[in-house]
Structure formats: structure tokens, C-alpha cells
Amino acid sequence: MRLVILEDYDQASEWAAKYICNRIIQFKPTQGRYFTLGLPTGNTPLGCYKKLIEYHKNGDLSFKYVKTFNMDEYVGLPRNHPESYHSYMWNNFFKHIDIDPNNAHILDGNAPDLQVECDAFEKKIEEAGGIDLFVGGIGPDGHIAFNEPGSSLSSRTRLKTLAMDTILANAKYFDGDLSKVPTMALTVGVGTVMDAREVMILITGAHKAFALYKAIEEGVNHMWTVSAFQQHPRTIFVCDEDATLELRVKTVKYFKG
Amino acid sequence: MPSNKSVSDAPIARFTNCRILRGRRLQREDLWVREGKILNPEKLFFDEKGSADVQLDCKGCILAPGFIDVQINGGFGVDFSLATDDFGSGIDLVSQKILSHGVTSFCPTLVTSPPSVYHQVLPQISVRNGGPHGAGILAGAHLEGPFISKEKKGAHPEHCIRTFEENAFQDLLATYGSLDCVRIVTLAPEIKRSSEVIQELTKRGICVSLGHSVANLSQAEEAVQHGATFITHLFNAMLPFHHRDPGIVGLLTSDKIPAGRRVFYGMISDGIHTNPAALRIAHRAHPKGMVLVTDAIAGMGLAPGRHTLGQQVVEIDGLNTYIAGTKTLSGSVATMDTCVRHFLEATGCSVETALEAASLHPAQLLGIEDKKGTLNYDSDADFLMLDDSLHVQATYIAGEEVWRRDVLDM
């Protein structure tokens, strides 16, 4: 793996955005040959999205020939609810760029048959030729997407019940009222993300430090599902100084050197 | 989820690089319009997989809902209280000219007149949508009089003032001839049997406004309880505020307003009809009820001098208009955008508040805020492009540009 350590959140966001931007530009996507991007939600990638929007507005980056696949979506939340991941992606990304709406794929948490929806999503990824670059984050409990502790490391897109840690972390987006937080979500599996040709995990903040330690300095373990990427041929972890607080000095020095 | 493919082939316009008035505040958002209505772009993106056909750069302008003037007696030489042969073309002229003031809907107002005038004029007023031809008449006319107080007639002709003491509503109907295209009636609630009349008018969906009256606060409150919801040009042509009997002005803070109802009040904020301090008192006492009106007369838009207002002759000198030879104010020649700017400056309120007083509040008064007065999704796309000092740069009705400031205009 590569571990890229930047000084703070803003620099980490910018580094990640530049990397994505360069990847797309180098790929030279065109009609019939799209660049496929896997995308996350949450607080961590907001800075990265802002930068990508900036590059687009400067005329340096177009999403015309980019297909996106989001990692997850809540079950049972109306699509236009301000906390749904559809709303998040529209407000924080899609409305500011030139992506074709037909190429922006997000799981539908209100589909009549949720498993059919998940299977169809896997099929769409396959039809798009697989994911070129999957961008993800990490939960405080080391999960990737909603693959909570205990999720199979070969899992595919499916319905998941959310862990208490996740529900507590999300409560702040629902007026602090635990009863309002969705308890289930559709999520890509660990296996789904592992299939991507390249993976980039964004990790910032001291509260994620322990999860990062478990993910890269301990063994591959289904209780810390991000650890699965130790076995992926091309993974980059992008983090800020605070996120490295639980790592060994030796590890940090090695990757900084 | 099955895709809600209510796809339309109609072109979608996206107004970018602007600040829109939505959710009571100015937001950096784009405005999307299709088929004359404000479109929800998120729904468009996810449900229809649609995108904009045309993008228009608003160069940082403010986009606000079109202004609604519920009290305008005429302008540009046209007097709505004069029964002429070409009344229709008079209304057309005014409705076209006020587009440049940012008014996209209005209620043609008639001052106290003899029955013959109402009988001739009212059938010539019809509800109609706005467009390139001019602002819309969405709701109908505003009849200010003749059932008012002689003591507070202002510029209204005394010999035409009437009461409905004998046959209440029947007297009113006989005077006006028809209420088909009437949306607001101003009357003085101290006239005997006004309660019945107010109730009957309210039942017919007509907004009753209190004005040109010497009513005390209890009479005004009773009128509100029977259905009155508006006050015509607050402070003018009514008893002044008195601390032991605030009169009609007291409605702004009355505790006898029925639950769920709001009393709105018209204000001519031209800097002449109301001292800025009084404007501020009213605004601070009841900010959500403020409705800016022009009360513009035929002389609005014309050079200073003499013009008619119904049965009277008035004299214009700058922004002041008086009954010829007197110091009695009679209507105004201020334009709606001038009133909005003056209101902003005099009260120091936010830009959002000033804009809402001329758009959202009159729409709420008329009960049409689901379609007009806001930039909410699915509302009619009647809006204005304004610069930061609230000068109208362009006017749009149903998504179509109907007026634009000439770059050479100063």
C-alpha cells in the first residue's frame, strides 16, 4: 500500500482531489470509454469534493465521460430527505459539475425489492467495465462503506443492519434523536470494493486514528473491514497527521521518507 | 424505485451565478425553470435523468419573486376610476409599464366612485395571466370605497361616499354591480351592518380591508373576527394611534386576532405618506404583516403637474401628490421598486425582508402563495433580477423575459 501523510485536513483533501483529477485526465475518457469512479459520503470527503468542483469550474476537469457509483444509501429514508445520500451527492457534488445524470449511480434504499436492487447495482458495475478508482472512507470502527465489524471480507452489495457505533455517529445529522436515525442501509460489499482496479481511502482526524492503526498495522480481520485492503494490489491511504496518532513512529517515518 | 418519468420535451433553463430568495434567505443556488414553473433540479437529475438545455449567467444578481401590488389606482396617464371607452387599453398600458418596476401581478384599484363607474368599469377587468404584454391580474380588482367614513375620506369625493345601513350586502352589490372580478374591498367597519357585509364578502373569497375609517380598536377587532384580513395604507386615513385606544393601528399587536389568522397591513413606503420612524414602529411591531403598496395614481410615471384621480384633480410635485389646491395627500407616484428600496433604507431591515414585503406577504394576503410570491419548486416562474441595491435589471413572467433594463439607461 501507499500511505500518504499530509499535514492537515485541507492538504489531505487537496492531495486526494488532485490524484483523482490526474487519474481521470490521464485516462482520457471519451464516448464509449468512460472512467468509472466509486464515491463515498460523510464528512471526510467534503473537502475533496470541493476541490474537484473547483478544478471543474476552472475548466481543468470534466465529468462528461465519468461514471460514478456511490458506496451506500440508507434504507427507508425518502430520497429527498436532507440526510439521504442522494441529497448529499446532489448538493455537495453533482449539481456543481457536468456529469450526465444517467451515469451517476446510487443505490435506491426505497426499492420494492432491496436484494434485487443490490444485485442490479453489481450488474451495473460489471456492465460499466468495473471500477477504475474506488474512493472510500473509514468509520471509527474500521468499517468501509457500511461493512460493519463482522462483515465478510468477500461480501457483495447487500442490505446491512447498522452497528450501534454508526448509529451514534450519525445521530448528529438527525437532530441528535436516535429514533430518527435509519437502522439499515444498502452497501457495496468489501469484495465489491476489492474488485476495483485501484482503491483510495481517505482518513482524517484523531478520532479515526485507532481505526487506521487497526487497518494497517494489525492483521486482516473482519472486525476491522478496511484491513482487507492489505491484500489489494493498488491501495492508497491518504491521511492527515492527526489520523496517524496511533501508528508506530517507525511506520510513519517509513512512509513519510 | 420506478422512475417518475414525467419527462417533458419543454426546454429547461438554468439561471446560474446568482443568489436566490428562498427559505426566507438569499442562497447561492441556481434557479431552474421549465414550462413557466420553477423546477426541482434534484428531482430532475435523479428521476428524469434530465439536465439543463440552456444556461443563463446572472452575473451575481439577486433573483427574487416578482412584486405584487395590491393597491394601484393607475399610472402613465391612466386612471382606473375613470370609465373611458378605451379602458381596456389603459389597463394594458399600465400592466405593461409596471414590469419595469418589478411588478408581475397587481390588483387594479378603484377609489370611491359613483355606481355608474363601477358598472361600466368592473366588467372590463378580468383575471388574466401576466406575460410579455404586461403584469398579470391574478386575483381581481381592489375596490377602495365608497363605503368609507366621510371624516377620513382623504382624496375620495365626499358626494360618492355611501353606507349600507339599509340593506347591508344587497346595497353593496347594487353599488358595485358585480363582484366577479373583485378581490379586495376596503371599507370602514364602523358603518352599521358592516359585520354582515364583511362576513358575506369573506364567504365569497373577497379580502376585506379596513381603511378610510374612524373605527376604534374594538370595532376593528370585531371586523377582523368577522373576516377582515387587511388594513389599507396603515396610518393614513384612520385615527392616529392613541395609547388608550390605538384604533385600527392597534390591530398590529392585538390579542383578539383569531388563531391561525394574520392581519396584513398595506404601507406606502414612498417616504412621504409615512414618516420613517412610524414605518419602523409598524415593521418592528408586526414584521410578518407588512405589505408594500404603491397606491400609485394616474400621474405615476408622468411629469409633474395636474392629473385626474377618479372624480378629483390632483397636483404632482416631485414625489408629493395633493388634491389640487390643498395639502391633502392623494395617492402617490412612487414606483414599487422605489418603495422597496425606501423600506430597506428606512428600516435597516435585511434585503430578504424588504423583498418579502413586496412579494411573499401580498401573495399570502391573497392566498396564492402556493403559486406566487416565492421561488419554491413548482411555483410560477415570475421573478426579477435585481442588483445589490435592489434596482430591477430584468423581469420574468412564467420563465420568459418580459422586460430588461437597457444597458444605456442610467
Side-chain angles (χ1 to χ4, degrees), chain A residues 79 87 90 95 101-102 108, chain B residues 1 14 29 41-42 47 49:
Chain A
R79 202 215 51 223
S87 292
W90 168 255
K95 81 177 172 195
N102 287 300
D108 176 8
Chain B
M1 174 166 68
R14 178 178 180 176
E29 287 285 348
E42 189 180 340
D47 282 346
K49 314 284 183 209

Side-chain angles (χ1 to χ4, degrees), chain A residues 2-32:
Chain A
R2 271 177 79 182
L3 180 63
V4 177
I5 305 170
L6 284 314
E7 198 173 310
D8 57 26
Y9 176 77
D10 288 337
Q11 292 198 24
S13 301
E14 190 170 357
W15 194 98
K18 279 201 176 125
Y19 189 85
I20 296 168
C21 182
N22 288 336
R23 270 277 170 268
I24 296 173
I25 291 173
Q26 281 159 16
F27 185 89
K28 296 204 197 11
T30 142
Q31 181 70 34

Side-chain angles (χ1 to χ4, degrees), chain B residues 63-380:
Chain B
L63 295 193
F67 298 146
I68 301 173
D69 193 352
V70 301
Q71 187 170 3
I72 167 173
N73 309 288
F76 307 94
V78 175
D79 178 356
F80 296 147
S81 305
L82 215 54
T84 59
D85 290 331
D86 58 347
F87 186 83
S89 54
I91 284 243
D92 289 346
L93 177 71
V94 174
S95 71
Q96 200 268 318
K97 290 277 195 189
I98 56 180
L99 292 177
S100 66
H101 307 156
V103 178
T104 53
S105 314
F106 71 109
C107 292
T109 306
L110 275 73
V111 295
T112 295
S113 305
S116 55
V117 167
Y118 297 115
H119 292 197
Q120 283 170 62
V121 166
L122 288 182
Q124 299 191 60
I125 295 178
S126 54
V127 165
R128 65 189 196 192
N129 286 329
H133 57 275
I137 298 172
L138 301 170
H142 176 170
L143 302 183
E144 191 191 2
F147 304 103
I148 56 172
S149 155
K150 289 200 168 141
E151 290 160 67
K152 288 292 177 187
K153 64 183 189 293
H156 292 219
E158 184 163 341
H159 65 281
C160 298
I161 291 176
R162 303 160 81 83
T163 77
F164 36 55
E165 284 176 14
E166 278 217 32
N167 296 310
F169 186 74
Q170 292 312 313
D171 278 344
L172 181 139
L173 196 52
T175 304
Y176 293 144
S178 148
L179 289 173
D180 281 346
C181 230
V182 173
R183 189 61 180 84
I184 307 176
V185 169
T186 293
L187 50 78
E190 66 272 22
I191 297 177
K192 285 203 188 49
R193 304 190 71 181
S194 69
S195 306
E196 298 166 49
V197 173
I198 295 173
Q199 276 180 320
E200 185 59 42
L201 286 170
T202 307
K203 226 190 321 172
R204 287 162 183 248
I206 293 175
C207 165
V208 176
S209 185
L210 308 179
H212 287 275
S213 152
V214 295
N216 58 35
L217 181 56
S218 334
Q219 287 166 324
E221 282 168 338
E222 203 187 315
V224 168
Q225 274 151 11
H226 285 113
T229 51
F230 195 42
I231 303 172
T232 300
H233 45 54
L234 186 76
F235 295 128
N236 301 106
M238 58 185 64
L239 290 177
F241 175 88
H242 184 283
H243 54 288
R244 276 191 295 279
D245 187 351
I248 292 176
V249 177
L251 286 177
L252 265 58
T253 47
S254 164
D255 56 357
K256 303 262 187 323
I257 312 293
R261 198 107 71 71
R262 190 191 308 176
V263 172
F264 293 87
Y265 54 97
M267 191 70 92
I268 308 171
S269 71
D270 60 352
I272 290 156
H273 279 74
T274 308
N275 183 292
L279 183 61
R280 284 191 287 274
I281 287 177
H283 169 62
R284 287 180 204 176
H286 184 26
K288 286 189 159 37
M290 172 79 68
V291 169
L292 298 181
V293 302
T294 58
D295 201 13
I297 58 160
M300 184 264 285
L302 298 182
R306 293 190 158 211
H307 304 275
T308 66
L309 173 63
Q311 313 292 312
Q312 305 265 32
V313 178
V314 298
E315 186 134 13
I316 298 171
D317 171 22
L319 269 182
N320 297 291
T321 61
Y322 303 106
I323 299 180
T326 74
K327 280 286 171 211
T328 304
L329 287 175
S330 62
S332 85
V333 290
T335 62
M336 186 55 116
D337 57 322
T338 311
C339 289
V340 171
R341 286 192 294 275
H342 181 262
F343 175 63
L344 178 73
E345 193 204 311
T347 58
C349 66
S350 65
V351 164
E352 294 91 324
T353 302
L355 293 172
E356 283 184 339
S359 57
L360 174 65
H361 292 172
Q364 287 172 330
L365 168 70
L366 297 175
I368 53 175
E369 76 263 33
D370 57 337
K371 291 219 133 35
K372 305 280 181 194
T374 71
L375 295 180
N376 294 340
Y377 300 139
D378 298 330
S379 284
D380 291 348

Side-chain angles (χ1 to χ4, degrees), chain A:
Chain A
M1 76 164 180
R2 271 177 79 182
L3 180 63
V4 177
I5 305 170
L6 284 314
E7 198 173 310
D8 57 26
Y9 176 77
D10 288 337
Q11 292 198 24
S13 301
E14 190 170 357
W15 194 98
K18 279 201 176 125
Y19 189 85
I20 296 168
C21 182
N22 288 336
R23 270 277 170 268
I24 296 173
I25 291 173
Q26 281 159 16
F27 185 89
K28 296 204 197 11
T30 142
Q31 181 70 34
R33 188 173 167 265
Y34 288 75
F35 186 88
T36 47
L37 196 53
L39 293 177
T41 51
N43 257 342
T44 308
L46 283 175
C48 179
Y49 282 131
K50 280 201 174 66
K51 277 291 176 191
L52 287 172
I53 291 165
E54 196 187 295
Y55 303 151
H56 169 68
K57 290 218 182 327
N58 288 341
D60 297 329
L61 178 61
S62 166
F63 291 86
K64 194 158 173 229
Y65 298 113
V66 173
K67 281 191 178 155
T68 63
F69 290 88
N70 266 70
M71 295 185 126
D72 41 24
E73 174 61 285
Y74 289 116
V75 166
L77 203 58
R79 202 215 51 223
N80 60 358
H81 189 285
E83 293 302 326
S84 81
Y85 287 167
H86 280 78
S87 292
Y88 176 102
M89 290 307 297
W90 168 255
N91 284 311
N92 293 310
F93 198 47
F94 295 147
K95 81 177 172 195
H96 304 280
I97 59 171
D98 61 344
I99 189 165
D100 181 338
N102 287 300
N103 293 336
H105 302 279
I106 308 181
L107 284 156
D108 176 8
N110 293 299
D113 186 332
L114 296 172
Q115 194 50 53
V116 164
E117 171 68 14
C118 293
D119 295 341
F121 199 73
E122 288 273 343
K123 197 120 207 339
K124 282 193 203 127
I125 294 176
E126 197 189 328
E127 277 159 9
I131 309 262
D132 291 305
L133 172 59
F134 218 128
V135 182
I138 189 173
D141 59 1
H143 71 231
I144 174 124
F146 277 129
N147 292 288
E148 309 282 51
S151 295
S152 161
L153 300 180
S154 349
S155 52
R156 310 303 305 185
T157 306
R158 68 214 185 285
L159 172 67
K160 276 296 287 180
T161 315
L162 301 182
M164 185 42 91
D165 269 357
T166 306
I167 293 176
L168 288 173
N170 286 344
K172 63 178 179 275
Y173 303 120
F174 292 87
D175 302 324
D177 184 350
L178 285 183
S179 65
K180 289 200 179 131
V181 185
T183 54
M184 295 200 290
L186 300 184
T187 177
V188 293
V190 182
T192 316
V193 184
M194 282 288 284
D195 280 352
R197 286 180 272 287
E198 188 173 7
V199 176
M200 180 166 79
I201 311 278
L202 297 177
I203 309 171
T204 55
H207 59 302
K208 301 282 175 86
F210 191 74
L212 178 59
Y213 149 66
K214 280 289 188 185
I216 67 174
E217 285 189 339
E218 299 268 300
V220 173
N221 188 311
H222 68 174
M223 295 313 279
W224 300 90
T225 50
V226 179
S227 63
F229 293 92
Q230 293 177 23
Q231 297 194 302
H232 189 285
R234 251 177 117 197
T235 295
I236 309 179
F237 286 84
V238 179
C239 57
D240 62 358
E241 292 281 356
D242 283 348
T244 65
L245 287 173
E246 294 285 350
L247 299 180
R248 296 173 79 199
V249 175
K250 190 158 133 179
T251 311
V252 173
K253 284 195 167 181
Y254 175 75
F255 284 104
K256 270 193 173 168

